[in-house]
Amino acid sequence: MDSQRKASISDGVGGLGSLPHRQPVNNVTPSSSEPVSEGLKGPQSPKSAKPGHTKSSSMSSAKQEPQKQQPKKSDGAPKAAAAPGKSSQAPVELPDFIVQRNQLFDELKKKHDAEMLQKPRPEIDAILDLGRDKDGVLRPPMPFKAKAWESTPGSFLRYVDKEISSDVVVAKVNGKELWDLDRPLEYGCRVSYVPFTSPEGRNVFWHSSAHVLGEAAECQYNCLLSHGPPVEQGFFYDMAIADGQVVKETDWAPLESKASKFFKEKQPFERLHVSIPDLKRMFGYSKYKMYYIDNLLPPEGSTVYRCGSLVDLCLGPHIQNTGKIKTFQIMKNSSCYFRGDKDDDTLQRIYGVAFPDKKLMAEHKKFLEEAAKRDHRKIGTDQELFFFDEISPGCVFLLPHGTIIFNALQKMLRQEYHKRGYQEVQSPNMYDVELWKKSGHWQHYQDDMFSLEVEKRKWALKPMNCPGHCVMFGHRERSYRELPLRMADFGVLHRNEASGALNGLTRVRKFQQDDTHIFCTQEQITQEIEGLFDFLKYVYSMFGLGFKLKLSTRPEKFMGDIETWDMAESKLKEALDNFATKGGGQWELNEGDGAFYGPKIDITMSDALKRDHQCATIQLDFQLPQNFQLEYQTSEQAGKADPLPESKGHAEEGDAKAKHKAPAPGRARPVMIHRAIVGSFERFMAVLTEHFAGKWPFWLSPRQVLVVPVMPAVNDYVEEVQQLLRANKMHADIDISGNTMQKKILLGQQRQYNFIFVVGAQEKESRSVNIRNRDDPKTQSKGELIPLDDAVQKLKALRKERRIVNAL
């Protein structure tokens, strides 16, 4: 099960102008650097690609951070006007390679437009889906008569209320394909609109903004552009500048000025499909673009987009014109490696962010300030929770206080496992690779696994538990009476994440997760999924985390039979509908984004800053039980059993055998459900750290109580209080140092102790404590006087009930 991370591959949103890259999943730190690319090979290097390191100059720093390695000279980069090492000035005119590229675009566009005029324009039926209004009520669909190759989604906006049309970024056809507003429809379809406020809308808007940044960079540096994708908090563009020049902070203002000029010009985004030969003519000057053409594109070619003087290789879609961008700012710059390969060219990367409204930019800056305060890496250091060391990159050193949080989370889950009928198991950390070949993971995942050779056998550290759990299920005869069998495992996992992708606790190489695999019958699927929804609701509400559900259905490349997929999807839809009926909220359909082995439910949770994170996952799997030939004995009326259809060869070449012998009469194949609630404990701890801003709920807190004396004469009582609290398994510290009482209290507040007990002669005599509550300002000057035994009982109740509010 892949709840540790999900690789992000560029698609219709990111475009080929956005080179496929791997970015952190559920990145809880907006200011973190995104890696370059995954799975790519450079034009002159046979190495497999890995995301690379970046060294950045951010908007908050006074001067640029020094580079660890001087950029190498890019042999394909044109000469620029400025001297090496100096800030580049804008050239007087565009270089020949840009002029010639754009002339070819104009020629091809003219030819394309002429061909379009000759196309027949039959009448087609279009239906506008306008979604829900602000009250959540579904708006009625609007049918339209349209003309193929003439009518555009943008032309329908004049019939739509301004409250909808003003926020529209791009269209979506038939609920699947993002579509430029000015691109003619080609067939009868349903059209919906995607606003900036949606994740898809922001990605398109920021992708278009990246193109404007690329245009400004070409004009300023005469550079060779690499790729420019949208990322978590904006976008970036990578480029090679001649003579080893680097981008400096003094370059930002000229770039922003150029971009502002382009916005005022309202440059349209023009889309054009170009053949491979013409693409090579168009981009032959750039080894970076030529690499993408030679290695990433299908034989029939791809699209390019033009805005102003920039023509870029890109799948799109884009906003209608640059005038939609009202505010734009460069946030930082860094150096990076092409394809993330340290042996390849060093490029310059510029990060930016843009919005359709200036108020949104102001809000974004406030958000970044608050996010920086909550950065789990900073809090982790300040509170001594964890650290990392280059002696083992991507593997966290969890300190005592961090381990307390980790163990508290596991204890909570173990208690729930007992209530909900789970069985905890332990499985090996290392397997012969034959196991991974049998499961099919080796064919899809071997580059992300740590492998080694021992006694002439090849082994791999496990990146997931599912194959091992299949071995455990199949090691003896199983009966239908044992199902559902819920197998839980907290075992250590390892994944070979590229060094450039590592990011605090959110992307690591060694981790643990609340991994569970449920083996059940087809008839039990719905009830098991509903049970998981109840588990999700229980856990996430405990932390004040909201969540949304999305059903991802059969992808283009899949294993198994369509009828099996249809049955599985119907079971998941039934469970989702039942959950919604019970007040669980509406769910979304994400067609074509399921795993190759089965449909899945993506769970996105929202933190205190309204950021979305994906930690949990629920996935149906009919293929692993087939690959491992798992069976169970059915009831006495076995002849009436409803066996799963066996796979008939939809698997990709090289997968585990797709054709398997069906179970004999009286036996059946189980269904396997992969599920995680918190997912990676490391990532979940990062999310919680930032969600709570380091102010842990009492039951999770590694610093629950600090006992402070008013004078040294009561130090013996201070120690007695600590011993009593520790005897009740609470994390209690004392401060009997030479500091003043006020400083001791201040330090305790800074360290986020839930409660500070202040004791003096009166408290010692009456065996009471004066309690200051971290989250109650009224108690900070003088707390509430409570008998010691009563205080202990109240703390025990607060811990047992796992209340999120810090109050006795």
Side-chain angles (χ1 to χ4, degrees):
M1 164 168 38
D2 191 9
S3 66
Q4 157 69 8
R5 65 129 175 93
K6 179 181 178 183
S8 175
I9 305 283
S10 179
D11 54 16
V13 177
L16 280 170
S18 306
L19 166 67
H21 69 291
R22 178 188 283 172
Q23 58 177 302
V25 173
N26 307 318
N27 183 358
V28 297
T29 308
S31 60
S32 61
S33 297
E34 286 74 13
V36 183
S37 61
E38 174 185 29
L40 303 180
K41 296 179 181 179
Q44 299 174 344
S45 172
K47 285 180 171 282
S48 61
K50 294 286 183 181
H53 299 277
T54 63
K55 300 296 289 182
S56 65
S57 166
S58 70
M59 133 177 150
S60 59
S61 61
K63 48 187 176 181
Q64 183 169 345
E65 194 173 336
Q67 307 287 336
K68 282 191 175 180
Q69 175 181 331
Q70 288 300 316
K72 292 178 286 185
K73 180 176 178 179
S74 296
D75 56 1
K79 300 290 182 181
K86 295 183 179 179
S87 297
S88 307
Q89 302 299 318
V92 175
E93 57 186 32
L94 294 174
D96 290 343
F97 76 90
I98 292 180
V99 174
Q100 292 168 6
R101 176 194 68 193
N102 295 357
Q103 286 176 346
L104 178 57
F105 177 91
D106 291 339
E107 293 172 12
L108 297 174
K109 186 70 166 59
K110 183 177 180 181
K111 180 180 178 182
H112 170 267
D113 291 346
E115 292 172 352
M116 288 290 292
L117 289 174
Q118 302 304 314
K119 278 186 174 290
R121 284 163 167 64
E123 190 174 80
I124 56 175
D125 293 318
I127 298 175
L128 290 188
D129 287 327
L130 301 178
R132 299 178 184 274
D133 62 22
K134 59 184 178 181
D135 298 320
V137 178
L138 192 65
R139 295 184 177 94
M142 296 174 60
F144 271 93
K145 292 295 182 183
K147 289 187 176 182
W149 305 105
E150 180 177 316
S151 301
T152 66
S155 66
F156 301 148
L157 283 173
R158 64 181 180 273
Y159 303 114
V160 177
D161 292 343
K162 189 174 182 180
E163 65 174 292
I164 301 174
S165 62
S166 61
D167 195 33
V168 168
V169 170
V170 71
K172 184 179 283 190
V173 169
N174 290 333
K176 295 182 180 180
E177 185 178 2
L178 292 173
W179 199 276
D180 299 275
L181 289 172
D182 289 338
R183 178 183 171 187
L185 298 174
E186 299 170 9
Y187 43 80
C189 57
R190 300 183 77 93
V191 176
S192 56
Y193 293 113
V194 182
F196 176 82
T197 50
S198 71
E200 285 182 315
R202 282 194 298 274
N203 274 345
V204 169
F205 189 91
W206 283 339
H207 182 198
S208 300
S209 303
H211 276 237
V212 179
L213 173 59
E215 181 184 2
E218 278 195 341
C219 291
Q220 177 140 328
Y221 302 117
N222 282 352
C223 58
L224 297 183
L225 298 177
S226 171
H227 72 300
V231 290
E232 185 79 12
Q233 298 296 333
F235 51 88
F236 68 76
Y237 224 116
D238 288 351
M239 62 202 70
I241 309 178
D243 299 323
Q245 294 178 77
V246 298
V247 176
K248 294 191 174 183
E249 199 166 334
T250 53
D251 296 342
W252 296 2
L255 286 167
E256 290 171 349
S257 177
K258 288 180 174 62
S260 178
K261 174 177 176 290
F262 300 151
F263 303 151
K264 293 175 183 177
E265 292 173 356
K266 297 184 178 181
Q267 300 170 352
F269 281 87
E270 300 176 274
R271 179 180 185 272
L272 180 65
H273 191 277
V274 180
S275 68
I276 293 293
D278 283 333
L279 286 174
K280 290 183 175 182
R281 290 173 58 206
M282 188 175 287
F283 296 105
Y285 62 86
S286 170
K287 68 176 183 179
Y288 309 112
K289 299 297 184 185
M290 288 298 292
Y291 167 72
Y292 307 149
I293 294 168
D294 289 336
N295 293 275
L296 298 178
L297 298 186
E300 62 271 21
S302 185
T303 52
V304 297
Y305 277 80
R306 178 171 185 168
C307 68
S309 64
L310 177 70
V311 175
D312 205 0
L313 187 63
C314 180
L315 293 178
H318 285 284
I319 59 178
Q320 286 177 298
N321 63 70
T322 58
K324 302 289 184 182
I325 305 170
K326 302 301 182 185
T327 178
F328 172 101
Q329 186 167 338
I330 293 174
M331 307 303 288
K332 61 181 178 179
N333 65 270
S334 64
S335 61
C336 62
Y337 300 114
F338 180 57
R339 306 175 304 108
D341 185 346
K342 63 182 179 61
D343 295 324
D344 216 314
D345 289 355
T346 298
L347 305 179
Q348 295 296 297
R349 174 176 293 180
I350 303 175
Y351 290 86
V353 70
F355 292 95
D357 189 308
K358 292 183 178 180
K359 291 181 180 179
L360 294 176
M361 178 67 83
E363 292 172 3
H364 179 71
K365 290 179 180 179
K366 288 181 181 179
F367 164 81
L368 291 180
E369 290 175 7
E370 181 60 29
K373 295 175 187 175
R374 293 171 178 255
D375 189 329
H376 76 276
R377 295 166 298 186
K378 178 181 183 298
I379 293 173
T381 299
D382 294 343
Q383 296 189 0
E384 294 188 278
L385 304 180
F386 62 87
F387 71 92
F388 289 89
D389 193 286
E390 279 302 305
I391 199 168
S392 184
C395 300
V396 65
F397 288 80
L398 210 56
L399 295 168
H401 286 127
T403 303
I404 287 171
I405 298 169
F406 184 94
N407 289 341
L409 289 171
Q410 280 201 352
K411 181 180 179 180
M412 176 270 292
L413 289 167
R414 282 194 169 102
Q415 290 176 347
E416 286 302 308
Y417 284 169
H418 182 72
K419 294 177 186 176
R420 297 171 185 267
Y422 286 74
Q423 301 178 48
E424 188 174 345
V425 300
Q426 293 186 14
S427 52
N429 277 352
M430 185 171 70
Y431 295 100
D432 190 302
V433 297
E434 291 303 315
L435 176 80
W436 304 109
K437 292 177 181 178
K438 185 175 184 179
S439 69
H441 288 95
W442 192 251
Q443 293 80 2
H444 290 271
Y445 211 80
Q446 61 177 301
D447 289 342
D448 296 303
M449 299 169 70
F450 288 103
S451 59
L452 62 158
E453 190 170 308
V454 180
E455 296 180 347
K456 298 183 180 180
R457 293 172 65 185
K458 194 166 186 179
W459 306 76
L461 297 178
K462 65 177 180 181
M464 66 275 294
N465 287 305
C466 24
H469 289 183
C470 286
V471 172
M472 297 179 84
F473 181 93
H475 89 285
R476 67 165 175 82
E477 280 289 323
R478 297 287 181 180
S479 166
Y480 72 95
R481 293 185 180 88
E482 296 180 74
L483 305 183
L485 178 58
R486 307 179 185 101
M487 202 176 289
D489 197 331
F490 291 123
V492 174
L493 306 175
H494 288 85
R495 295 185 183 171
N496 188 16
E497 300 285 355
S499 58
L502 301 176
N503 180 39
L505 293 177
T506 62
R507 183 72 69 83
V508 291
R509 286 175 172 165
K510 173 261 177 187
F511 62 99
Q512 291 172 256
Q513 59 185 22
D514 64 325
D515 208 355
T516 291
H517 296 94
I518 301 173
F519 299 90
C520 64
T521 68
Q522 290 185 67
E523 295 74 22
Q524 293 168 337
I525 291 175
T526 301
Q527 70 181 42
E528 287 302 304
I529 298 299
E530 289 178 353
L532 293 178
F533 290 161
D534 181 72
F535 202 165
L536 273 170
K537 188 174 182 180
Y538 172 80
V539 172
Y540 284 4
S541 62
M542 183 185 301
F543 301 107
L545 297 165
F547 67 94
K548 297 176 287 188
L549 303 172
K550 185 182 292 186
L551 173 60
S552 297
T553 57
R554 186 178 67 246
E556 185 177 342
K557 293 183 179 180
F558 62 94
M559 293 177 67
D561 293 276
I562 291 179
E563 54 266 33
T564 304
W565 277 84
D566 290 344
M567 181 275 296
E569 290 172 7
S570 68
K571 295 282 187 182
L572 294 182
K573 288 177 181 177
E574 181 184 358
L576 286 162
D577 287 337
N578 291 343
F579 184 62
T581 302
K582 296 174 184 177
Q586 296 296 320
W587 57 275
E588 297 178 31
L589 183 62
N590 187 21
E591 293 190 27
D593 200 37
F596 68 90
Y597 50 78
K600 62 178 180 174
I601 296 173
D602 294 319
I603 300 103
T604 305
M605 63 182 179
S606 180
D607 69 7
L609 293 183
K610 308 302 181 186
R611 295 173 298 185
D612 289 338
H613 312 280
Q614 187 174 338
C615 293
T617 185
I618 299 173
Q619 302 175 7
L620 280 191
D621 190 347
F622 298 91
Q623 305 310 316
L624 272 186
Q626 287 187 28
N627 292 349
F628 284 88
Q629 294 289 282
L630 302 183
E631 298 180 1
Y632 63 91
Q633 293 179 343
T634 63
S635 63
E636 292 180 358
Q637 296 181 339
K640 297 181 181 180
D642 183 21
L644 290 173
E646 296 299 297
S647 178
K648 296 179 182 177
H650 287 281
E652 297 177 25
E653 185 179 354
D655 280 339
K657 290 183 179 179
K659 223 172 185 180
H660 298 290
K661 184 179 178 181
R667 307 183 68 79
R669 190 89 68 213
V671 177
M672 189 176 185
I673 302 175
H674 306 251
R675 84 101 183 99
I677 303 296
V678 304
S680 157
F681 281 99
E682 287 78 2
R683 183 194 298 142
F684 196 68
M685 284 177 61
V687 173
L688 291 182
T689 302
E690 301 194 2
H691 177 61
F692 292 122
K695 295 184 177 182
W696 298 99
F698 184 79
W699 69 275
L700 268 182
S701 178
R703 292 180 174 87
Q704 293 174 330
V705 179
L706 174 66
V707 189
V708 173
V710 174
M711 74 278 288
V714 296
N715 283 355
D716 57 338
Y717 182 56
V718 168
E719 292 173 347
E720 181 185 346
V721 172
Q722 181 191 33
Q723 290 172 4
L724 178 62
L725 293 171
R726 288 188 169 180
N728 283 276
K729 300 180 180 179
M730 294 178 197
H731 307 300
D733 299 319
I734 62 174
D735 188 345
I736 54 176
S737 68
N739 290 329
T740 64
M741 183 188 74
Q742 288 78 10
K743 186 168 184 180
K744 293 174 183 177
I745 293 172
L746 177 62
L747 289 173
Q749 292 170 338
Q750 291 172 345
R751 291 166 182 164
Q752 303 297 346
Y753 281 90
N754 296 72
F755 300 99
I756 298 177
F757 289 5
V758 180
V759 298
Q762 180 184 359
E763 286 79 12
K764 179 179 179 179
E765 182 178 349
S766 61
R767 286 191 59 76
S768 60
V769 288
N770 190 295
I771 301 179
R772 302 188 181 209
N773 184 334
R774 179 193 66 196
D775 299 339
D776 185 357
K778 297 177 183 177
T779 67
Q780 298 308 312
S781 56
K782 185 177 181 181
E784 185 179 359
L785 196 66
I786 298 178
L788 178 58
D789 291 338
D790 289 353
V792 171
Q793 293 306 313
K794 289 176 181 290
L795 290 173
K796 287 171 68 176
L798 179 60
R799 180 182 61 192
K800 181 179 179 180
E801 296 167 15
R802 296 193 174 98
R803 298 199 300 266
I804 194 172
V805 178
N806 195 60
L808 298 179

